[in-house]
Amino acid sequence: MRGSMDLEGGQGVGVPGKRRESWGASLLLAYQSLGVVYGDVATSPLYVYKSAFAGNDIQHSAGNEEIYGVLSFVFWTLTLISLVKYVLIVLRADDGGEGGTFALYSLICRHVRVGLLPGGGTGDELTAGGKGAGRRDVRAMSRSRALLERYRVLQRLLLLFALLGTCMVIGDGVLTPAVSVFSAVSGLELSMEKEHHKYVELPVTCAILIALFALQHYGTHRVGFLFAPIVCIWLLCISIIGVYNIVHWNHHVYRALSPYYMYQFLKKTQTGGWMSLGGILLCVTGSEAMYADLGHFSQSSIKIAFMSMVYPALVLAYMGQAAYISQHHSFENTYHIGFYVSVPEKLRWPVLVIAILAAVVGSQAIITGTFSIIKQCSSLSCFPGVKIVHTSSTVHGQIYIPEINWILMILCLAVTLGFRNTKHLANAQGLAVITVMLVTTCLMSLVIVLCWNKSIFLALGFLLFFGTIEVLYFSASLVKFHEGAWVPITLSFIFMIVMCVWHYGTIKKYEFDFQNKVSVNWLLNLGPSLGIVRVRGIGLIHTDLVSGIPAIFSHFVTNLPAFHQVLVFLCVKSVPVPHVQPEERFLVGRIGPKEYRLYRVIIRYGYRDVQKDDLEFEKDLVSSIAEFIRSGGSDHNGVLEHTEKSCEKLSSISNGIPLCEEDGELVESASPHKDINTQTGAANRKKARFMLPKNAQLDSEVRRELQELVDAREAGMSFILGHSYMKAKSGSSFVKRIVINFFYEFLRRNSRGPSYAANIPHASTLEVGMVYQV
């Protein structure tokens, strides 16, 4: 296998090289990204000024220092956080095209041995994307890398930090749709008679939210084309209104872009101004979605869309609002500093309709990002198994998760009905947004040092500059704990418990499997027949182990009178890389002498790979074993697995021998290939054969082994799965018994099994229950 690794770009074995996109493809993706990625940040003008001044008792002077100060904060926050941090820096830290908080953690794990995931990133080179994926930098290891690798407590803290960011993204996925839609619908208060809007806003908001989540199963591709025109019209609309307000009301508002007004604002308003930062922060909500949705699009497309359309439109919109408010100082009601009051009266109804549609689009960004980040966590054993529906046949990153979709909808409706106002919802959303940004900043500083091999001073500069800004906003959001900010903390706490319990249980299960595996010497002492009758067919024994014999096999040997003529110990691994290239997917080895017909196959999938259906999977599996047999069971690129008294060699199979099946008798033809086939006697039965190169030289032993493999394939495959029940050992602590016996078992019973198990034909499956005492 190719074993090189590009630490600078974050690529290695198992991560496909970046292909240069054409301008046409980039522009098309940029157009689609408007409807999926940017709806959230594009609709923030609906509620930023209203949230900034709500409940802070800020007096508005004739000199407009307060309005100019808020505009200055909005402009520089949008510029520094969204443009500089995310678009120009963070988007470059893609994990093979994938983005999001957990992708950053995965990227760090692939370059430094700090992974706590079972079988991945902890020294198991077979599961790290190939032989070269775990290879270290040839230069002297940095002090930061050495500290992380040496201290287990730092590794656990790093994982918990990544999970915290993930949980806050999920919390943001609950709150953003509620805030965006409610803010858009609140425009009815200026368009309807007094008090009547109160009876309409809540039902309309809930109906729109239900429709939004019901649309998700159509997928990002269709939703993107449906929503992109809406965002384009919305951006054009707020740009024109902004320019009109600047020209008509206050064309000197551009002066507020000076950072001097931020200092004047805080100096004059003091505590009230500091608390208003929690509302100003909402101007960058949706920026994290640009990174989380990276797997659905590309770096270039997201950058093009933001810098050419989104950023200029937002700056004009915020300047226009400030220009209008600066000439209208009647603030007896909060809606007088909302978005709709700055819209010319004749345009309010059309703008209201566009705003509601744009708010629906705005919710799409964080929902899509939530799906992506939960899939990453589930693939790396940090979230219970969920159903992953791939909604695009060409872009595998575009997914839909039904269970998460409906959970988000229920929680979103609950907080909407519970708060019934945008003030508390905005406070809750602000804390979720800034927490995710802080986590991203901290992880990104580690990526700069550990993955990009840049100076530690550059990483510290990044951390201190952006971290200081975000800590200031975080403190302003946290002080509103009793006014709605408790919601994301509560949601994150619940999801954190779920993730930690699942991760802990998965680790304990893997450790039990590893500690109770059967010695290879024990197997060799049984002899070629394994002490039982060998019947026709292939037996696939699924195991999480990459070495040794699983305990489940000893149960079969001691309790069943017969076993298959060909046995394959199959290990399907999700590895912490987005993609494993097809030529690096299969590792095949032999257990014991040839006459035993025992093989080990390790199949590796990245967290963005799509696993094949059962028929294609069987063909690829058998073809890979056949190629291993034909090559003589040796490969100079093999990976050595050390056992007690023997050495089991696993070979990387780049291209298996094609396995052809056809009906009826074989017809002789002048084919440039030789074939090994099975005759079944019935003309309508399928026949299997391997297509070998014409000049293939096979000795009798290899030909006999290939023939036996084909016979076994013709007889059929049986899938042997272990069904585990976790139980804490007697004498375990009370907390451990609660976590394992109740919480983990509850999650296991109500979660999806391994994705490969869903494709296995039930008629060919044998499931055996085992109790794991951990």
Side-chain angles (χ1 to χ4, degrees):
M1 293 188 298
R2 294 185 298 274
S4 61
M5 170 176 284
D6 179 8
L7 295 179
E8 183 74 21
Q11 290 191 9
V13 174
V15 184
K18 298 177 183 177
R19 291 177 296 179
R20 192 173 183 84
E21 287 181 323
S22 65
W23 273 104
S26 294
L27 291 175
L28 179 62
L29 285 175
Y31 171 76
Q32 290 185 40
S33 72
L34 289 173
V36 176
V37 177
Y38 291 113
D40 190 5
V41 70
T43 54
S44 57
L46 289 170
Y47 46 81
V48 168
Y49 281 110
K50 184 176 181 179
S51 300
F53 290 111
N56 294 320
D57 299 324
I58 298 177
Q59 302 298 321
H60 301 270
S61 60
N64 292 316
E65 289 88 353
E66 297 82 8
I67 301 299
Y68 287 175
V70 171
L71 174 59
S72 186
F73 265 107
V74 168
F75 172 77
W76 286 106
T77 303
L78 189 66
T79 301
L80 293 176
I81 301 297
S82 298
L83 180 61
V84 177
K85 176 187 169 182
Y86 278 97
V87 173
L88 299 182
I89 300 176
V90 175
L91 282 181
R92 295 179 56 219
D94 67 305
D95 188 16
E98 190 77 2
T101 305
F102 213 75
L104 279 178
Y105 175 75
S106 172
L107 190 63
I108 295 171
C109 287
R110 288 203 297 111
H111 291 80
V112 185
R113 296 184 178 277
V114 298
L116 294 173
L117 308 176
T122 56
D124 187 353
E125 303 211 356
L126 299 176
T127 62
K131 183 180 177 183
R135 185 173 297 171
R136 305 184 182 187
D137 188 6
V138 294
R139 291 175 288 181
M141 191 170 289
S142 69
R143 185 172 300 176
S144 302
R145 180 180 285 129
L147 284 173
L148 276 175
E149 291 189 346
R150 184 181 305 165
Y151 295 106
R152 196 74 169 173
V153 63
L154 293 179
Q155 299 175 23
R156 291 193 175 96
L157 287 175
L158 183 64
L159 176 61
L160 287 175
F161 205 58
L163 292 181
L164 172 63
T166 301
C167 293
M168 282 294 180
V169 169
I170 299 173
D172 195 14
V174 172
L175 295 164
T176 293
V179 175
S180 299
V181 176
F182 210 135
S183 298
V185 175
S186 65
L188 292 171
E189 62 186 347
L190 292 178
S191 305
M192 298 181 66
E193 294 183 11
K194 188 177 181 180
E195 301 299 328
H196 287 186
H197 66 88
K198 293 182 178 180
Y199 304 103
V200 178
E201 285 181 356
L202 201 60
V204 170
T205 299
C206 292
I208 292 174
L209 289 174
I210 292 172
L212 168 66
F213 285 100
L215 280 174
Q216 296 305 312
H217 73 279
Y218 288 107
T220 305
H221 178 72
R222 294 185 180 90
V223 170
F225 271 109
L226 176 66
F227 285 172
I230 297 173
V231 177
C232 288
I233 295 172
W234 170 251
L235 291 173
L236 182 64
C237 178
I238 62 176
S239 300
I240 294 174
I241 294 173
V243 172
Y244 168 80
N245 285 327
I246 293 170
V247 174
H248 189 264
W249 296 110
N250 184 358
H251 60 274
H252 295 295
V253 74
Y254 69 88
R255 296 174 180 173
L257 302 184
S258 170
Y260 171 76
Y261 284 93
M262 291 192 291
Y263 167 74
Q264 285 292 98
F265 174 74
L266 291 178
K267 180 181 178 181
K268 185 174 183 179
T269 57
Q270 297 181 357
T271 303
W274 168 64
M275 293 182 65
S276 71
L277 295 179
I280 295 173
L281 163 68
L282 298 178
C283 70
V284 292
T285 180
S287 298
E288 183 69 28
M290 287 191 289
Y291 185 47
D293 289 336
L294 185 58
H296 294 249
F297 300 99
S298 64
Q299 290 185 35
S300 59
S301 62
I302 291 177
K303 290 179 179 178
I304 290 171
F306 186 82
M307 291 191 287
S308 64
M309 291 192 65
V310 179
Y311 180 74
L314 288 176
V315 172
L316 289 174
Y318 286 119
M319 290 177 65
Q321 281 185 261
Y324 179 89
I325 298 172
S326 67
Q327 300 302 315
H328 298 79
H329 290 184
S330 56
F331 297 110
E332 61 270 14
N333 289 311
T334 55
Y335 69 76
H336 285 156
I337 50 176
F339 169 77
Y340 291 103
V341 73
S342 65
V343 178
E345 190 170 351
K346 293 181 180 180
L347 298 178
R348 281 180 185 167
W349 273 107
V351 171
L352 174 65
V353 174
I354 298 172
I356 292 175
L357 292 175
V360 173
V361 177
S363 306
Q364 180 64 40
I366 193 62
I367 294 173
T368 305
T370 303
F371 290 160
S372 295
I373 204 165
I374 285 181
K375 179 181 182 292
Q376 295 170 21
C377 293
S378 181
S379 297
L380 299 178
S381 305
C382 286
F383 197 87
V386 290
K387 181 180 181 181
I388 308 292
V389 179
H390 293 267
T391 57
S392 172
S393 58
T394 55
V395 184
H396 291 160
Q398 297 186 0
I399 60 171
Y400 164 68
I401 306 178
E403 297 97 329
I404 300 301
N405 184 63
W406 303 124
I407 290 174
L408 289 178
M409 186 190 77
I410 293 171
L411 292 175
C412 187
L413 291 174
V415 297
T416 303
L417 295 172
F419 286 131
R420 303 189 177 201
N421 66 75
T422 55
K423 176 184 174 182
H424 290 83
L425 286 171
N427 291 339
Q429 184 193 20
L431 184 61
V433 167
I434 196 61
T435 304
V436 176
M437 289 182 174
L438 264 173
V439 171
T440 299
T441 298
C442 295
L443 293 178
M444 188 65 204
S445 62
L446 290 176
V447 168
I448 292 173
V449 174
L450 302 175
C451 303
W452 292 356
N453 292 312
K454 300 295 184 182
S455 168
I456 192 170
F457 297 105
L458 183 64
L460 285 175
F462 178 89
L463 178 64
L464 291 176
F465 181 75
F466 292 107
T468 301
I469 297 173
E470 290 161 358
V471 165
L472 182 64
Y473 281 114
F474 179 79
S475 63
S477 299
L478 192 61
V479 78
K480 299 179 180 179
F481 181 84
H482 296 291
E483 298 179 3
W486 60 269
V487 173
I489 295 177
T490 304
L491 290 175
S492 297
F493 180 73
I494 294 172
F495 281 106
M496 179 72 84
I497 290 177
V498 170
M499 289 184 174
C500 289
V501 167
W502 186 260
H503 176 72
Y504 177 75
T506 304
I507 289 287
K508 290 299 179 183
K509 181 179 180 296
Y510 182 81
E511 289 176 352
F512 180 91
D513 280 332
F514 186 80
Q515 293 168 2
N516 291 274
K517 63 182 180 180
V518 179
S519 166
V520 173
N521 291 328
W522 172 85
L523 181 68
L524 298 179
N525 292 333
L526 295 177
S529 68
L530 302 182
I532 55 178
V533 177
R534 303 292 289 271
V535 297
R536 293 187 65 205
I538 298 177
L540 293 179
I541 303 174
H542 287 269
T543 175
D544 290 332
L545 298 176
V546 297
S547 63
I549 308 300
I552 186 176
F553 182 73
S554 64
H555 287 280
F556 273 99
V557 170
T558 54
N559 291 284
L560 294 180
F563 229 105
H564 302 85
Q565 68 187 100
V566 175
L567 287 178
V568 179
F569 293 96
L570 181 64
C571 178
V572 180
K573 282 290 181 183
S574 291
V575 299
V577 294
H579 291 293
V580 175
Q581 298 187 39
E583 63 268 20
E584 300 166 352
R585 190 174 307 283
F586 287 88
L587 289 177
V588 183
R590 190 193 306 278
I591 301 177
K594 290 184 178 181
E595 60 269 20
Y596 282 54
R597 303 296 189 253
L598 301 179
Y599 307 96
R600 183 186 307 283
V601 179
I602 298 174
I603 306 177
R604 298 166 296 181
Y605 290 99
Y607 54 73
R608 286 184 61 204
D609 284 328
V610 179
Q611 299 185 17
K612 297 182 178 180
D613 58 33
D614 57 301
L615 184 58
E616 289 298 320
F617 175 80
E618 289 181 19
K619 286 184 177 180
D620 289 348
L621 178 67
V622 175
S623 297
S624 297
I625 297 174
E627 173 59 27
F628 172 79
I629 295 171
R630 188 192 69 82
S631 63
S634 62
D635 192 313
H636 65 279
N637 289 322
V639 179
L640 297 184
E641 176 199 333
H642 297 285
T643 57
E644 293 175 8
K645 292 184 180 179
S646 63
C647 190
E648 181 185 326
K649 189 172 185 179
L650 297 175
S651 300
S652 175
I653 305 299
S654 56
N655 293 297
I657 301 179
L659 176 66
C660 300
E661 291 184 338
E662 57 185 40
D663 294 323
E665 298 291 332
L666 291 174
V667 179
E668 295 293 335
S669 62
S671 172
H673 297 82
K674 296 181 180 180
D675 64 81
I676 298 178
N677 61 75
T678 56
Q679 304 279 338
T680 61
N684 58 349
R685 290 284 302 278
K686 281 190 177 296
K687 300 185 178 185
R689 60 176 179 171
F690 289 118
M691 304 299 294
L692 299 173
K694 183 176 181 180
N695 58 352
Q697 300 294 328
L698 303 178
D699 60 35
S700 58
E701 180 61 29
V702 171
R703 187 174 295 275
R704 188 182 311 112
E705 192 172 0
L706 283 173
Q707 184 66 51
E708 190 167 350
L709 181 63
V710 172
D711 292 341
R713 170 68 177 86
E714 179 72 13
M717 285 190 175
S718 295
F719 299 85
I720 302 158
L721 302 175
H723 192 74
S724 60
Y725 298 88
M726 297 276 285
K727 188 175 181 181
K729 291 180 180 178
S730 58
S732 298
S733 65
F734 175 77
V735 174
K736 183 177 180 179
R737 292 201 302 271
I738 293 295
V739 168
I740 295 297
N741 296 350
F742 294 98
F743 288 166
Y744 179 80
E745 276 300 297
F746 174 80
L747 293 174
R748 185 193 60 78
R749 289 194 300 269
N750 292 279
S751 64
R752 301 268 179 173
S755 54
Y756 61 79
N759 295 325
I760 295 174
H762 293 291
S764 304
T765 303
L766 180 61
E767 200 169 33
V768 176
M770 294 181 62
V771 177
Y772 283 46
Q773 297 281 348
V774 299

